[in-house]
Amino acid sequence: MIKAWEEKLGAELEKREAKRLTRSIIATERAVEPVLVRNGRRFLNFSSNNYLGLANHPAIIEAIRNGAKRGAGATASRYIIGHEAETDQLEKEIAEWKGTEAALVFPNGYMANLGVLTSLLGRSDAVFSDRLNHASIVDGIRLSGAHHFRYRHGDLDHLESLLRKADEKGIQRKLIVTDSVFSMDGDQAPLQGLVWLKERHGAALMLDEAHASGVWGGKGEGLAHALGVERHVDIHMGTFSKAFGLYGAYVAGNRLWVEYIKQTCRPLIYTTGLPPSLVSGIRQALALVIGEQGRRERLHRNSEQLRTALIQMGLDLRGSSTQIIPLMAGSEEKALQFSKRLEEKGILAVAIRPPTVPEGTSRLRLSLMATHTKEHLRQVISTIKEVWMNES
Ligand SMILES: *Cc1c(COP(=O)(O)O)cnc(C)c1O
């Protein structure tokens, strides 16, 4: 009977290969730096989410080392063994930074989204989710069993018509959930409009600031703060795995919401606490994120310079206004080929294909770092120009 499994697995893999959807994971050194190494070859790194260049910061690494002196692991769920005072301290600092009453740390962003959505939503609730939201949001919604309304990307009119539909069905509790900065498009959610709609329809709003935490706002609080709408967000979520350069995630909001999540969130209850080294590392990274505005400024300057140059070449950037810049290719084949040509010339920009992005919108995803130099930018611009001209 095992044969039935082997047939299925083999056939599925072949199907993926035929559609050029197979993914490979490649041994890579120095991925934390603007220039990384693969097979002994150096590549300019335009593929990481280490936006502020903190992933190799000596103070963070030192904090991790010191944290590890207290033990290698947390040894059990926080609900069983408890947590160090340092974890309390970190959660207080996060709440203060976000301007909320309370905060919770999670092992990672995927679990935070899955956990919060399954904890809050039940079958009688409705959730309104942007079509381009991150997979962890989609999975959380599916697992929750709530009525799932997907609105066209950034389309407030479509969202409003769906909110009305839910009202007509007599659904009491509505939750709007969105990425603040979209991970594969680099554009921003229309937060002011979303806030207006949520107030008007009595819905709650959850914001995933994975790509905005550390990057937007005067202290890197996120896009909601940058736009001055943070008080209207009921659940703030973000990660320490991108601009913070580490691993882990947070959820922040009013005491009532956070306490409810703490009491009911299975992915938090049934998992081991964060290791002491990580807690210490995140605290140090948070201090740097708050204090080092210069890194944000360098990142934004780099992003703007690259976007301007690419737009001048006539490339379609899909409304990117951030450190994430997509170069639209269309087919999987074309995206892979474009990525390969750049790689041959020493530049790493990964091809993004379905199911990460919708069918027919395969692309290259370029991501900037504060630590990219003028020379790195000059090189990526001239190489894209050369490759793009030859291809099209
Ligand atoms: C990366 C990402 C996550 C998942 O965070 P991890 O800490 O990597 O698990 C969640 N949401 C968005 C929008 C992301 O880009």
Side-chain angles (χ1 to χ4, degrees):
M1 280 304 106
I2 199 81
K3 198 152 172 279
W5 278 107
E6 288 171 357
E7 274 167 17
K8 177 198 149 140
L9 306 189
E12 287 296 325
L13 287 178
E14 271 170 33
K15 235 190 272 169
R16 277 170 186 253
E17 183 55 42
K19 286 204 227 158
R20 310 285 275 138
L21 292 177
T22 302
R23 300 163 188 242
S24 47
I25 301 173
I26 305 161
T28 302
E29 277 93 58
R30 297 195 216 160
V32 294
E33 293 174 23
V35 180
L36 56 72
V37 176
R38 271 185 186 174
N39 295 322
R41 246 194 98 193
R42 291 156 55 86
F43 292 94
L44 274 186
N45 179 1
F46 284 91
S47 290
S48 93
N49 298 325
N50 182 19
Y51 304 127
L52 298 179
L54 290 177
N56 58 355
H57 196 290
I60 299 176
I61 292 168
E62 183 62 19
I64 290 171
R65 209 173 267 134
N66 284 330
K69 290 178 188 156
R70 306 195 304 273
T75 76
S77 165
R78 288 165 74 181
Y79 296 75
I80 307 270
I81 189 74
H83 60 209
E84 294 180 295
E86 180 121 5
T87 304
D88 270 333
Q89 198 57 36
L90 171 60
E91 290 181 336
K92 267 198 205 100
E93 286 163 0
I94 295 166
E96 198 173 303
W97 170 60
K98 296 290 289 186
T100 59
E101 288 177 357
L104 272 176
V105 290
F106 277 75
N108 58 57
Y110 187 97
M111 287 173 72
N113 277 335
L114 202 79
V116 168
L117 290 163
T118 51
S119 149
L120 291 178
L121 294 167
R123 287 185 185 284
S124 52
D125 304 324
V127 59
F128 303 82
S129 169
D130 188 291
R131 273 205 192 145
L132 295 189
N133 275 344
H134 191 261
S136 54
I137 295 178
V138 178
D139 293 355
I141 292 172
R142 284 189 187 149
L143 195 57
S144 78
H147 296 273
H148 188 181
F149 295 89
R150 297 172 75 216
Y151 60 92
R152 287 191 288 272
H153 179 50
D155 188 337
L156 295 170
D157 291 333
H158 190 212
L159 170 58
E160 179 150 46
S161 74
L162 296 175
L163 283 162
R164 272 204 219 99
K165 212 180 260 177
D167 286 339
E168 281 160 21
K169 282 190 180 168
I171 296 174
Q172 295 292 310
R173 287 177 302 272
K174 300 181 284 284
L175 175 73
I176 302 170
V177 57
T178 184
D179 291 12
S180 64
V181 168
F182 286 86
S183 50
M184 297 299 143
D185 288 65
D187 58 349
Q188 302 176 355
L191 292 190
Q192 278 106 343
L194 290 172
V195 164
W196 192 82
L197 278 181
K198 79 147 245 183
E199 301 291 345
R200 190 180 154 101
H201 288 269
L205 178 61
M206 173 172 171
L207 205 55
D208 178 341
E209 301 254 33
H211 294 279
S213 296
V215 174
W216 296 94
K219 293 180 187 155
E221 306 96 314
L223 191 63
H225 281 75
L227 299 178
V229 299
E230 72 276 10
R231 304 230 162 271
H232 300 275
V233 176
D234 301 286
I235 294 289
H236 301 262
M237 174 271 173
T239 68
F240 302 119
S241 51
K242 286 158 183 159
F244 279 66
L246 289 129
Y247 196 72
Y250 66 85
V251 168
N254 285 345
R255 206 161 280 124
L256 174 68
W257 292 70
V258 173
E259 182 60 22
Y260 180 82
I261 291 165
K262 192 193 247 176
Q263 295 302 329
T264 59
C265 179
R266 293 167 64 89
L268 197 59
I269 297 170
Y270 298 105
T271 200
T272 300
L274 268 54
S277 53
L278 183 55
V279 173
S280 297
I282 295 171
R283 284 190 71 198
Q284 178 60 60
L286 179 57
L288 291 168
V289 159
I290 291 171
E292 300 204 347
Q293 174 68 7
R295 285 180 187 264
R296 274 185 283 285
E297 285 164 9
R298 280 198 295 281
L299 174 65
H300 294 312
R301 223 180 300 130
N302 284 349
S303 313
E304 184 154 340
Q305 195 187 332
L306 182 54
R307 282 198 312 269
T308 306
L310 296 174
I311 287 168
Q312 277 169 0
M313 286 178 219
L315 295 178
D316 173 11
L317 309 187
R318 280 225 152 193
S320 159
S321 55
T322 68
Q323 74 280 7
I324 300 165
I325 307 180
L327 298 181
M328 301 311 289
S331 72
E332 286 72 75
E333 194 71 47
K334 201 158 173 226
L336 285 172
Q337 201 160 67
F338 198 13
S339 167
K340 192 159 150 255
R341 294 279 171 276
L342 288 181
E343 200 177 314
E344 284 162 7
K345 295 180 188 298
I347 290 176
L348 212 67
V350 75
I352 308 284
R353 295 160 287 162
T356 307
V357 293
E359 210 68 52
T361 68
S362 286
R363 67 196 68 182
L364 286 199
R365 177 185 187 269
L366 297 168
S367 49
L368 277 295
M369 297 168 66
T371 44
H372 280 135
T373 64
K374 281 200 168 69
E375 179 52 29
H376 294 152
L377 288 176
R378 197 200 56 71
Q379 206 176 322
V380 76
I381 291 167
S382 70
T383 309
I384 289 173
K385 196 171 203 165
E386 186 190 331
V387 169
W388 189 261
M389 295 306 168
N390 280 341
E391 294 292 315
S392 47

